[in-house]
Amino acid sequence: MSSPALPARPVRLAPNEWLFLGAVMLGIALFVLWMGKDTSWDFRNYHWYIPYQFLTGRMNLDLAVAHQASYYNPFLDIPFYLLASHTPSWFSLGVMGLVQGANCIPIYFIARSGLRMEENVLASAALTLMGMTGALTLSLYGTTYYDNVMSVFVLTGLAILVVQRDALANGSLIRTAFLAGLAGFLVGSSVGLKLPEAPFALGFAAALVALRGDFKHQAVRIAAGGIAGLIGVLLFSAYWWEAMDKLTGNPLFPYFNEYFKSPLALASPYRDMRFLPHGIFNIVTFPIQFSLNWAVADDLGFEDTRVGVAYLASIAAGIAWLTRRRAADPLFDTEAARPLFAFAAVTLISWTLFFAIYRYILSLEMLAPILIVAAVGFLPLPRRVRYISIVALLFAVLLTSHATYNDRMPLGDPYVQIVTPPKIERPKDSIILMTGLAPMGYIAPSLPHQIPLLRIDGWMLQPQDGTKLTARMRKQVDDFKGDIYSLSDPDEIERTHDALLAYGFIIDWLKCQHFDTNLAGPYLFCPLTRKPPNTP
C-alpha cells in the first residue's frame, strides 16, 4: 500500500526555531575557541602556505614547498588566511566556527520539511544536534580541512531540493529552473573549490532525477541544475586549471599525470589510493568496515557507526519499498525521502570507487541520523516499534561514537610565528633547500620573502627521480652564487644528509641553528657548502 503524498512543510520557521539554530552556531563557535588553533599536518603543510604563495606571486619563485599540495587551488584557503593574518586569532577562529556551524540550517530544514511526527519541531532539533555532533564532525570543527565548510554548500543545495520538492515537480518552469539552478550552483561551487567534493555532484544529479514531475519538469531541472553546477565549478577552478596547464602542462598537476603526462613530474596518478576497497565484497561492505574500524578509511582517528547504520537501514527500507511492504504511515515524507536516498546512495557509491577517504563524505555523516529515521520509518512495523527502534539505534550510535581531538594549540597572536627566527646574513642573496617529509610550508610566510624555497626532497620529488622539475631545481641550485641553507626536521637528519649530498652539498654542522614556531618545532636550519670535486 502506498501512502498519499503530503505537501511539503512551510519554509518559514518560527522565531524560536531561528533562535535554536543561532544558538547551535554560537555554541560551535565557542567550542572552536575552546579547542584552539589547528596545527594538523595539512595545515602546516599547505593550508597556510598556498594562499601566501598565490597572493605574493611565488609560483615561479618557490618549488614544491608543500609537496603535491603546492599546486592545489588556493581559493578555498584565501579567506581564512587573510582573516587570520589581519585579525586576532579568537576572531578568525570564531568566524570559522560560525561558518562550520551553519551546517545546522540546511540539516534542520531537511528534517523539518520531511518528518511526519507529532513532535516535528522537537524531533527536527534533535536530529540537527545529532547531525552536528558526529565523531569526525566534532573533530574537524575549527580546522582548515574545509570538508565541513564545503558541506554548507552541498547540504544547502540538497535542502533546496527537499524543501522545494513540490515547486520543482509541479511549479512553473521558470521557478523550477531557478531553484534547480541555485541548488546546482552551490554544489558545483563546492566541487570547484575542492575537487574531492565531486561525488556529491553525482549524488545531487541523482537527487534531481529522483524528484517527481513530468518530462518538462525533469528536463528543466536537469538542464538548469547541470548548467549552473558547471558554472559553479568553472567559477572557482577554471582560472586555476588554466594557470596550472600553462605552468606545468597538466591542469590538475600533479594528479592524473599518467594521462596528462607533464614532463615536470612522473607519469603517475599521485593520488592517495591507500583506502580504496578491492573486490565486490569489500566494496559492498565498506560502510560497515569503516564503521567498525576507522583506519580502513582515514588517517584521522574516529569512532562512529552512524553511516554504517544508515546504510543497513536504507537497504532494509529499499527491500520493503521494492516488495511493496513499506509502512502505510511513514515517519518521513515519501517525496522528501526520494531525493535524500538517491543523493546518499550515488554519493556513497562514487566516493567508494574514487576516494574512500571518510573525511570526504562528512556531509553523509551529518545526514545519517535523518537517513536512519527515514529508513526505519518506512519499515512495515507498528508505529510504536519504529519509534523505539529509532531511539535505540540513535542511542547506540551516540554510545559507540568517540571523537579524537589532536593537533591543537591555545589561542595567541600572531596566528603563525617563528619564535626565534634563524639568522640569515644576506636574504637577497640566499636560497633555502627543504628536505624530508615533514610539513613545513607554514613557516614560509615568516621567512624573508625574497628568498626562494626549493623542496628538493619529499613526497613528490626526490634528487634522483628524473623529472624535469628536479632538473630545473638542480640547474637553479648549480647556477646560484649566493648563500645556500637547508631547512629540515631534526628527526630526518639522515634523509637530509643524503638528499643534500646528492645535490653536491655538505652541512656545516657547527653553524646549524635550531628554532621553534608557536605551532610546532623544533626545526634545523643549516648553512651548506659545496662538496669539493673528486670527493666521495
Side-chain angles (χ1 to χ4, degrees), residues 390-408:
I390 288 170
V391 172
L393 287 174
L394 294 181
F395 180 74
V397 165
L398 286 174
L399 195 64
T400 56
S401 65
H402 175 72
T404 303
Y405 306 106
N406 295 324
D407 304 321
R408 306 283 181 143

Side-chain angles (χ1 to χ4, degrees), residues 160-495:
I160 290 172
L161 300 192
V162 173
V163 174
Q164 298 292 339
R165 57 189 179 276
D166 289 345
L168 287 162
N170 307 306
S172 70
L173 295 180
I174 293 177
R175 181 169 174 76
T176 296
F178 171 76
L179 292 171
L182 176 60
F185 176 77
L186 290 171
V187 176
S189 296
S190 74
V191 179
L193 288 166
K194 186 168 183 175
L195 198 56
E197 298 293 304
F200 291 115
L202 298 177
F204 175 79
L208 279 176
V209 174
L211 290 168
R212 289 200 182 275
D214 57 28
F215 176 78
K216 287 184 179 180
H217 284 83
Q218 284 273 7
V220 168
R221 282 201 309 262
I222 295 171
I227 293 172
L230 182 60
I231 291 173
V233 172
L234 295 178
L235 178 65
F236 291 104
S237 63
Y239 169 83
W240 190 250
W241 289 347
E242 183 181 7
M244 285 296 98
D245 191 47
K246 289 181 178 179
L247 184 68
T248 70
N250 177 352
L252 302 177
F253 187 82
Y255 294 104
F256 302 103
N257 207 47
E258 72 272 37
Y259 304 114
F260 292 106
K261 300 189 184 303
S262 166
L264 297 181
L266 300 174
S268 170
Y270 284 93
R271 291 197 301 129
D272 187 350
M273 297 187 287
R274 292 172 296 156
F275 304 110
L276 289 173
H278 300 284
I280 188 65
F281 176 80
N282 286 325
I283 291 173
V284 171
T285 62
F286 197 56
I288 302 170
Q289 292 182 40
F290 66 64
S291 294
L292 299 176
N293 177 16
W294 62 267
V296 304
D298 215 308
D299 285 324
L300 303 178
F302 70 95
E303 294 177 18
D304 203 306
T305 60
R306 68 190 62 205
V307 174
V309 171
Y311 178 68
L312 294 175
S314 299
I315 292 174
I319 293 172
W321 190 293
L322 293 173
T323 59
R324 299 183 180 276
R325 292 173 57 83
R326 60 186 182 272
D329 58 339
L331 303 180
F332 203 87
D333 181 61
T334 304
E335 299 309 312
R338 289 165 62 93
L340 273 183
F341 284 120
F343 170 82
V346 173
T347 295
L348 186 65
I349 292 169
S350 55
W351 166 84
T352 302
L353 296 176
F354 292 103
F355 294 107
I357 298 174
Y358 182 83
R359 177 166 53 86
Y360 292 168
I361 53 165
L362 196 69
S363 293
L364 290 188
E365 182 180 274
M366 295 179 180
L367 278 177
I370 295 177
L371 294 171
I372 292 170
V373 171
V376 175
F378 282 120
L379 298 180
L381 300 170
R383 194 174 183 89
R384 186 182 187 86
V385 174
R386 282 178 280 155
Y387 277 132
I388 294 173
S389 300
I390 288 170
V391 172
L393 287 174
L394 294 181
F395 180 74
V397 165
L398 286 174
L399 195 64
T400 56
S401 65
H402 175 72
T404 303
Y405 306 106
N406 295 324
D407 304 321
R408 306 283 181 143
M409 289 289 289
L411 299 180
D413 298 307
Y415 202 89
V416 175
Q417 179 185 30
I418 296 179
V419 177
T420 305
K423 295 179 181 179
I424 303 174
E425 296 182 358
R426 302 187 303 163
K428 293 183 179 179
D429 298 307
S430 298
I431 194 170
I432 295 176
L433 307 183
M434 303 172 69
T435 62
L437 306 178
M440 299 185 290
Y442 80 106
I443 300 173
S446 300
L447 295 170
H449 299 336
Q450 61 267 49
I451 301 179
L453 303 173
L454 309 182
R455 172 85 71 161
I456 65 170
D457 169 65
W459 290 106
M460 181 180 173
L461 300 171
Q462 291 83 42
Q464 309 293 349
D465 61 17
T467 65
K468 283 196 174 182
L469 200 54
T470 291
R472 179 187 297 179
M473 283 197 287
R474 280 186 172 276
K475 185 177 188 309
Q476 183 174 346
V477 171
D478 290 342
D479 293 344
F480 190 73
K481 304 302 181 183
D483 299 331
I484 301 180
Y485 299 89
S486 69
L487 175 60
S488 61
D489 187 316
D491 292 334
E492 298 183 301
I493 287 292
E494 185 175 351
R495 179 167 185 150

